[in-house]
Amino acid sequence: MSPARGNKYMTASPATRVLGVVAVAAALLMALLGLIVSPADVVQGQAVRMLYLHVPSIWIAYGAFVLTAVSSALFLIRSRRREDSGRHHDRLAGAAAEVGVVFAGITLVTGMLWGRVTWGTYWQWDARLTTTVLLFVTYLGYLALRRLPADPMIRGRRSAVMALISIINVPIVHFSVDWWRTLHQKASLSVGRRPEITGEMYWTLLYSTLAVTIVASWLIVHRYRVIRLEELRDEEALNALIASRLREDE
Amino acid sequence: MLHEVLLIALKDLRVEWRSKVTLGQVAPMGLLVLVVFAFAFDANTRLLELGAGGLFWVAVLFGGTLLIQRAFEVETDDGNFDAFRMSTIRAPSLFLGKSLGIFIQVVLLELVLGPGIVLLYNVRIDDWLLLLAAALGGTLAFSVCGVLWGVMAAGTRVRATLLPLLLVPILAPVLLAGSRAFETAFGVRAEAGWTWASLMFVIAAVHAAVGMGTFGFLLEES
Amino acid sequence: MLHEVLLIALKDLRVEWRSKVTLGQVAPMGLLVLVVFAFAFDANTRLLELGAGGLFWVAVLFGGTLLIQRAFEVETDDGNFDAFRMSTIRAPSLFLGKSLGIFIQVVLLELVLGPGIVLLYNVRIDDWLLLLAAALGGTLAFSVCGVLWGVMAAGTRVRATLLPLLLVPILAPVLLAGSRAFETAFGVRAEAGWTWASLMFVIAAVHAAVGMGTFGFLLEES
Amino acid sequence: MSTVVDFQKVVAVAGGFPVLAGLDIEITKGEIVHLRGSNGVGKTSFLRACAGLLQIQNGDATVLGFDLRDDRIAPRRYIGLLGHENHLYKDLWVREHLEFRAAAVGADQHDVEAALQRIGVSERLWAVPIERLSAGQRRRVAIASVLVGRPQLWLLDEPHAALDREGREVLDEILIDAASSGATVVLASHERDLSKSVTSRVVTLRGGRLWEDSGAA
Amino acid sequence: MSTVVDFQKVVAVAGGFPVLAGLDIEITKGEIVHLRGSNGVGKTSFLRACAGLLQIQNGDATVLGFDLRDDRIAPRRYIGLLGHENHLYKDLWVREHLEFRAAAVGADQHDVEAALQRIGVSERLWAVPIERLSAGQRRRVAIASVLVGRPQLWLLDEPHAALDREGREVLDEILIDAASSGATVVLASHERDLSKSVTSRVVTLRGGRLWEDSGAA
Ligand code: HEM
Ligand SMILES: Nc1ncnc2c1ncn2[C@@H]1O[C@H](COP(=O)(O)OP(=O)(O)OP(=O)(O)O)[C@@H](O)[C@H]1O
Ligand SMILES: Nc1ncnc2c1ncn2[C@@H]1O[C@H](COP(=O)(O)OP(=O)(O)OP(=O)(O)O)[C@@H](O)[C@H]1O
Ligand SMILES: [Mg+2]
Ligand SMILES: [Mg+2]
């Protein structure tokens, strides 16, 4: 099994290696900026540094889940045709969802630690927090559904339907602060509005988002690759099994 | 179409009638949940009154999940799902028929649980119309979502436990909306209960559309 | 005897391991139940703190019911119960073995739910010893009652409808006692938590005795 | 003579195992094909693939003129499948069950009684829950459920299992009748002597592939 | 020659129906009895009554020296039962399942492999979940589960169903071996030609009662 089989969707290439290097460098720089360069907050003190992981992570998770939904939609469309059944989109959906779940988890953990410092408790029954945990579990369920043994196309369609329904949770999480009265911060950055945080914090947050995006892309590319390799391995094993079945009639 | 829907629903109800699982097994289970809460907060009737709406929907969710599980157990037993797939009934009708069967059973469950909360939690009903609308919307949403996820989880041995995992996060908004609407109907919350009630109808409609569109290939196992 | 008990319990755990139901699906689902309760109560923190004990046990009941259902589904499937009856293992060992298997799975479930309520409902644990004792007693009582109930419900369809009615009065005291003991352990209730905890051990012991004595003919179907 | 089933180099996978490993087979209208082979060679898998219940991974498969790779749902309405399992709702009464199955395949309700009588389910049992029936009686109800749909293609997985001698004879008659009125029958069975009396062709599988074929009658 | 099964005017009721309606039968040690009769005559019911799984309403029944009306549990440890169903844990692997069954009847773990090999479950399948097996392979595992317990009384309900020809031959050998080493075998089957080669006696039931008996060998 050689990765260099020249398959259209194999992803090992110089470009991804560069991406990996860039991701590491960006993460290091992000740590530097977030922990040392940016100032402590007037109200929150050092705890504010959690922001640089907490917020970009969930944004990336949103992005990943949207990617999952879009890929799923494409898969549903493409899988109607026999040739080029769109497996590529299914793999991408799976890889993106896995990475999204990881980053949503990071937001939850950092948020809980942060809450412990600023609110004095790990958890509050706040709409934002509750909806976030529901988002997290929904995608855990999505991943569980993907793991059920089934024909790849059937499984792909099934999980695609779930991905399309689940995406509704993203806007719910995002707008929960507006729809319900919450303890949690309202949106501080949004298009067409003056940012409420300033200076180094603002730029550090923007930069962190970029860095996390790079890391997440690298992860998605590699999860995709691993999924593809697993498929190739399974195909190989299947071919060996077919061959051995043919040998049954000696 | 309507004929096919009724055929499926009637078959499910007949199986239920012959085995009497809903009324005999699930309803007592739901009542147990209510009783336990009554115990847990015995000192504070006010709290119970406040929480009654939520408790009702938690009990419905709990019992309803068992019902959906059973509705699909009947199909996976003895390879019945294959016969289902081989029938000439169109997938949307199957979906609606199963949903209708579940809907009726959940309504029966609610007819037991409703008086339950009235008696145990001492609630007063201010707005009957809202109450009925919310119950209808919530039950519709529950049935439709339940069947959609039920078929996704069916066909695997682990279905019994994967189902709740998939179902609960999807149903959380229904639960929330149902609770809020009931609380308004009980007069313990001033908020717009009708908005919440309509939300449930929207959820039901969306899932019904998705279910009718996709049930055909969701039914396939391999 | 011990050898037989372990044999049965290990078999059940192995079936679970192959299908990875407890940790993979029931536990997350239990957590969701906790979240959903909070939703239903509209995040009334004080209420949640007061009710945490009760909510924990309701979540255990919910998840544990699924586990018991599955443990007996595995046996009724493909006529396995007959092979069970034909084996040389004595009925009390069967009973204890099944209970042990359920017990271990419920403990796993509680290991997820426990941190869950501590983090989510913001409870403080005043009395660890009482907490552990109550958890142990409640889990024992639940497993033993659950298996006793499960085997009766598994036997025939006719009896299945009657037995949950019996289970309600049996499990309600366990839930009540568990909630009270936990509340004392959480420092939100001054009452004698140890009395409640010991009550659960008594319930467990009584049901274990009844189960060991009667399992032999409860296993018989006709 | 039109082709009803046409499989070419069909590979089908279940649970990561190639249950069909390059099967070639062609069945024409009106045949009664006896499918044979040791346990686990892929008879059940072949029947399920014909019914569109098992996805085809590779190769070409056409059933009743439908290409299974494009649409494996459409041909189902013309197919009657009897598996190793009976596909019965155990809680329902015999008659209720059959009425439901008849309605579900768009058959006439009047055929229900005729089918039950034909296959020899005595009237005494019509209002008995299926759960209470003996193995052979259940099998008969299952066969009646297929019969009532008047399928064009019968896929039967060991239909004789559990049937008594009289039941076997009746079933054979039913199959011969069906074939002579233009239906096609494929039945998997381990019974040897079956071949001579009823079936027009014997096909033996081995290792997920065709091994021996007595050829069309 | 000692009597293994002795039924006298046995009546047994299931679901309000007299599945055994005054059955008289006596089976002695070392016999291989072929139980016959149309569907629903009570073969399964008789086997289940022998195993103590079906309560006896009336009449006298003794199995392996135990009076079933006093104790229907005690004889079970000497009995191996194979029903229409296979009694398999579908989630377990073949080997795991058999190891459990062996332990549950107090058999030696070393016999497990021997039993699987004897009945012809190929080693490739030992670590495959039972759910994935074909019908005949499952039946073999079920037979191995009985075999491993070395019962004194074998009660087999259509043991040949789903088995291929080689499997049937192996099973027949196993039964002959068992009988010659002092065990008793009762098998229900609809197959005609079975009688001559293996079985020492043919008993035909009808309407829950004895109808014909070829007599002890
Ligand atoms: C487990 C607990 C928490 C969770 C699950 C959580 C979740 C989230 C989510 C989902 C967002 C993204 C909002 C969006 O859609 O743009 C967010 C943003 C944010 N969170 Fe948290 N959070 C938690 C705790 C906290 C705490 C304790 C603080 C600080 C007191 C905090 C401060 C912020 C801030 C400042 C933002 C950026 C808001 C914006 O600019 O949009 N979070 N959080
Ligand atoms: N995961 C797996 N690993 C190994 N073998 C598998 C797996 N899944 C399926 N199989 C094999 O696939 C085959 C399925 O065959 P199928 O059920 O079609 O046989 P069959 O011809 O109907 O046999 P029978 O006569 O016993 O009914 C079996 O040999 C089974 O062991
Ligand atoms: N409630 C009932 N009403 C009518 N008949 C019943 C009822 N319960 C059981 N029976 C009948 O009891 C009989 C049980 O027979 P049993 O299962 O022993 O038959 P069998 O000889 O094993 O048949 P087979 O060859 O089909 O396996 C069947 O005829 C069944 O219809
Ligand atoms: Mg087969
Ligand atoms: Mg029988």
Side-chain angles (χ1 to χ4, degrees), chain A residues 164-213:
Chain A
L164 287 176
I165 294 179
S166 305
I167 193 65
I168 185 71
N169 275 316
V170 168
I172 290 180
V173 173
H174 181 70
F175 292 114
S176 57
V177 283
D178 301 330
W179 293 344
W180 291 281
R181 202 166 37 79
T182 63
L183 267 176
H184 192 276
Q185 245 76 0
K186 294 253 191 283
S188 46
L189 299 183
S190 54
V191 192
R193 232 197 310 147
R194 259 177 65 86
E196 287 168 22
I197 55 173
T198 45
E200 287 103 330
M201 280 174 68
Y202 179 75
W203 290 111
T204 308
L205 181 59
L206 277 192
Y207 171 74
S208 303
T209 307
L210 178 68
V212 173
T213 310

Side-chain angles (χ1 to χ4, degrees), chain A residues 107-182:
Chain A
T107 298
L108 275 170
V109 171
T110 52
M112 287 172 81
L113 294 175
W114 200 356
R116 183 75 200 171
V117 177
T118 58
W119 300 333
T121 73
Y122 287 110
W123 195 261
Q124 285 290 329
W125 284 104
D126 168 280
R128 155 92 19 113
L129 274 55
T130 309
T131 49
T132 310
V133 82
L134 285 176
L135 175 75
F136 181 71
V137 177
T138 305
Y139 278 91
L140 277 185
Y142 171 79
L143 293 182
L145 191 66
R146 284 190 72 87
R147 266 201 303 279
L148 290 185
D151 178 87
M153 296 304 286
I154 300 289
R155 190 187 53 211
R157 288 170 155 196
R158 231 185 240 172
S159 34
V161 172
M162 180 164 180
L164 287 176
I165 294 179
S166 305
I167 193 65
I168 185 71
N169 275 316
V170 168
I172 290 180
V173 173
H174 181 70
F175 292 114
S176 57
V177 283
D178 301 330
W179 293 344
W180 291 281
R181 202 166 37 79
T182 63

